[in-house]
Amino acid sequence: MSLSRRTLLTAIAAAPVLATAGPAQAGVPRAAAGALPVAAPASAGLPPGRLPPGHRFDLKAAPVDLLGKEVLLNHKRAHQQAAFDPVTGLLYVIQLMDGPKLPGEADPARTGAERDAWGDLCVNQLAPDGTVLGVMHLKGFGHGAGLGVEHVDGTAWLWVETDADFVPDDGDKTTRERAHGKRIARLAFAPGTVVDAVKDTFDRFSPVGATAITPSLDVDHGQIAVRHVTSKKAGYRVYDLDAFKRGDFTPKYSFPAMYRTQAWCLYGNLLYQNEGLAYEADNPRPGNSWWNVYDVTTGEVIERTFNATALHLDHRETEAITVRRTPDGPQLVFSFATQKDRLMALYGITGTTDGNDDHVPWTDLDWDKALCTAAGSYIPQYRQSGNRVDLHLRVTRISGDGKWVSGDKILTLPPYLRPKRTQSMVGTTTGAGVTGPLVVRWEVNSDGELRVFDERGIAGWIGLDAGYFTS
């Protein structure tokens, strides 16, 4: 897809790329000179960002590779979330950390696993070319999946989770839990400092009782939102920012969270959430990276779109998502953690869509075309909402004598749609030459196989308009 004039203007460079910061990217259109533009200072009159009325970011548009390379942050660990200073345009990235020992710590330095268990984090401040300008360490804060930046009187104020409980290592590295914050912190970014959640004083907010909580700041619309886990159920709450600062925790909107979440951000009446794990045996290419878009006024998921950006990356783990101001309007920025040392690759989308398709769209599925053909326009499709997957298809057998054999496999679902256990569904049949009920039984198993079971040797189409649960 060609880049729009608006997208190109938004991606104009403000500084040259430093070749030492990481290897060049390939496969995604690059921003001019491969650098992030710096937002104009407040004195230059850059207004708060606004999307056109009724619009949202077009997640099917061509993204721009904002840095033209993968950059190394202060630690060789995965970053979790990112946010931009709305006045200076500088980028702040929060990441997991390992050694070395921080000032005031006893020997030996904590390992990466110990840092995770204590909730120790690093905040990086980045120049437009991806150079790390300064770092600040936060001890006992959490996992870092939420970050907001507020600019007040020349100072960047960070909004992050805090007050994490230490989580002891049970020895099982595959299931080891990480520490998560239970409250929200607001503190000034001070490069070269170490802040201890237990010992130091800063603003703390407890908007809802939670075992885990992360914030997102939307300064353009005067809002803050939190994602909270309460009684093992995740939800979102949206607040007026000024009221929140005063300790008024009356939410404007509240709704349940769906899908596995890596990071999320609030912008206007929309909440953008991304999910996805790194490539591995049970998550082969193209992986399971998805965008989910909520209408916060209703709590409805209005879009679920597969993220096909940068499929060339050898290691590709979905991480940050945020919205930033640019001279040409707001831009949705997202990232992947890459390579062994967990570099950061950063991308942006500026194009918008008018929202005429405000629903989770149907997505086509591959099927066994040697076995059967779609009846008319009823090609196999799916739509996912939460942990429910709906299937829609009508197929006619073309193999053999054209009669369906009990146990025929129509298709194999991709890994992210497979249930934990076999589930049955009821479908329909054409009725021509069929004796008995005009229904057939379908099954989908944990290997993703969708099969039909009927002993009558039906000739003609069979169909399915039903759903199952992935968990």
Side-chain angles (χ1 to χ4, degrees):
M1 182 181 297
S2 62
L3 298 177
S4 68
R5 177 177 178 272
R6 183 181 180 198
T7 301
L8 288 171
L9 285 172
T10 303
I12 292 175
V17 173
L18 301 182
T20 57
Q25 288 280 25
V28 178
R30 287 183 56 180
L36 287 167
V38 174
S43 59
L46 182 67
R50 291 288 189 275
L51 293 179
H55 279 231
R56 64 177 180 266
F57 292 106
D58 185 359
L59 301 180
K60 298 181 177 66
V64 172
D65 182 348
L66 293 175
L67 295 172
K69 59 188 177 181
E70 300 162 44
V71 298
L72 180 64
L73 302 174
N74 190 63
H75 294 271
K76 298 178 181 181
R77 299 286 307 281
H79 66 286
Q80 301 298 300
Q81 181 57 307
F84 290 84
D85 185 312
V87 174
T88 67
L90 293 177
L91 174 62
Y92 293 80
V93 181
I94 195 164
Q95 70 174 143
L96 304 176
M97 61 173 293
D98 43 30
K101 186 176 65 174
L102 298 177
E105 290 185 337
D107 290 325
R110 290 177 180 175
T111 66
E114 290 169 337
R115 297 285 187 196
D116 293 348
W118 281 101
D120 296 348
L121 300 168
C122 175
V123 180
N124 300 257
Q125 181 193 61
L126 273 67
D129 65 3
T131 302
V132 176
L133 299 175
V135 299
M136 178 180 182
H137 289 95
L138 308 177
K139 295 182 62 176
F141 275 67
H143 190 58
L147 177 65
V149 178
E150 180 186 18
H151 189 102
V152 180
D153 297 332
T155 298
W157 290 82
L158 308 178
W159 290 79
V160 295
E161 65 187 281
T162 190
D163 295 0
D165 289 328
F166 171 70
V167 179
D169 188 349
D170 63 2
D172 185 350
K173 301 302 183 183
T174 63
T175 61
R176 176 174 50 80
E177 293 291 333
R178 295 182 171 94
H180 294 273
K182 305 185 298 300
R183 296 176 184 85
I184 302 299
R186 178 181 183 266
L187 67 165
F189 178 77
T193 63
V194 179
V195 180
D196 191 311
V198 175
K199 300 177 182 179
D200 295 321
T201 300
F202 47 84
D203 292 336
R204 303 175 202 243
F205 304 88
S206 300
V208 57
T211 54
I213 190 169
T214 55
S216 177
L217 204 61
D218 176 15
V219 295
D220 287 347
H221 301 92
Q223 303 180 113
I224 185 173
V226 299
R227 183 183 189 274
H228 61 95
V229 178
T230 306
S231 299
K232 298 184 179 181
K233 294 182 179 179
Y236 291 104
R237 297 190 180 195
V238 181
Y239 306 86
D240 176 84
L241 179 57
D242 288 338
F244 191 94
K245 287 181 179 180
R246 296 192 304 266
D248 180 355
F249 301 133
T250 305
K252 298 194 296 182
Y253 309 107
S254 179
F255 53 94
M258 294 189 286
Y259 308 105
R260 181 189 179 100
T261 303
Q262 288 286 62
W264 62 280
C265 66
L266 173 71
Y267 197 75
N269 286 340
L270 299 175
L271 189 148
Y272 296 85
Q273 177 195 67
N274 62 12
E275 61 174 300
L277 303 174
Y279 296 138
E280 50 192 17
D282 58 353
N283 181 39
R285 295 175 186 268
N288 58 0
S289 182
W290 288 83
W291 283 302
N292 305 300
V293 184
Y294 296 77
D295 180 339
V296 301
T297 66
T298 64
E300 177 186 3
V301 176
I302 60 174
E303 182 175 354
R304 179 169 167 80
T305 296
F306 184 76
N307 185 351
T309 306
L311 296 178
H312 65 282
L313 293 173
D314 291 332
H315 182 96
R316 177 179 178 271
E317 184 175 3
T318 307
E319 293 296 354
I321 186 168
T322 189
V323 177
R324 71 182 180 118
R325 296 179 185 179
T326 78
D328 199 45
Q331 182 181 57
L332 184 71
V333 177
F334 60 98
S335 68
F336 297 100
T338 75
Q339 301 192 42
K340 180 179 179 180
D341 288 340
R342 300 298 180 260
L343 308 185
M344 179 182 72
L346 201 67
Y347 305 92
I349 292 175
T350 307
T352 66
T353 181
D354 61 12
N356 286 332
D357 297 323
D358 271 0
H359 61 273
V360 179
W362 289 97
T363 300
D364 294 348
L365 287 165
D366 290 329
W367 76 94
D368 186 349
K369 296 179 178 63
L371 176 72
C372 56
T373 185
S377 61
Y378 293 91
I379 62 175
Q381 296 177 315
Y382 80 92
R383 183 168 67 185
Q384 185 176 16
S385 179
N387 66 344
R388 178 180 171 86
V389 178
D390 289 297
L391 298 177
H392 171 72
L393 58 92
R394 187 177 292 180
V395 289
T396 302
R397 200 179 202 274
I398 56 176
S399 180
D401 59 4
K403 294 183 179 180
W404 289 101
V405 176
S406 188
D408 275 341
K409 183 176 74 172
I410 312 303
L411 54 84
T412 300
L413 296 165
Y416 52 84
L417 296 179
R418 296 173 186 176
K420 300 296 184 184
R421 55 181 174 78
T422 298
Q423 296 188 47
S424 298
M425 296 167 286
V426 176
T428 58
T429 181
T430 176
V434 175
T435 59
L438 300 182
V439 295
V440 294
R441 182 172 69 88
W442 295 79
E443 276 190 5
V444 57
N445 62 28
S446 58
D447 292 325
E449 298 173 341
L450 179 66
R451 297 180 182 272
V452 61
F453 293 91
D454 196 287
E455 303 291 346
R456 292 175 289 177
I458 296 172
W461 62 259
I462 54 175
L464 181 63
D465 283 285
Y468 64 91
F469 295 94
T470 56
S471 60

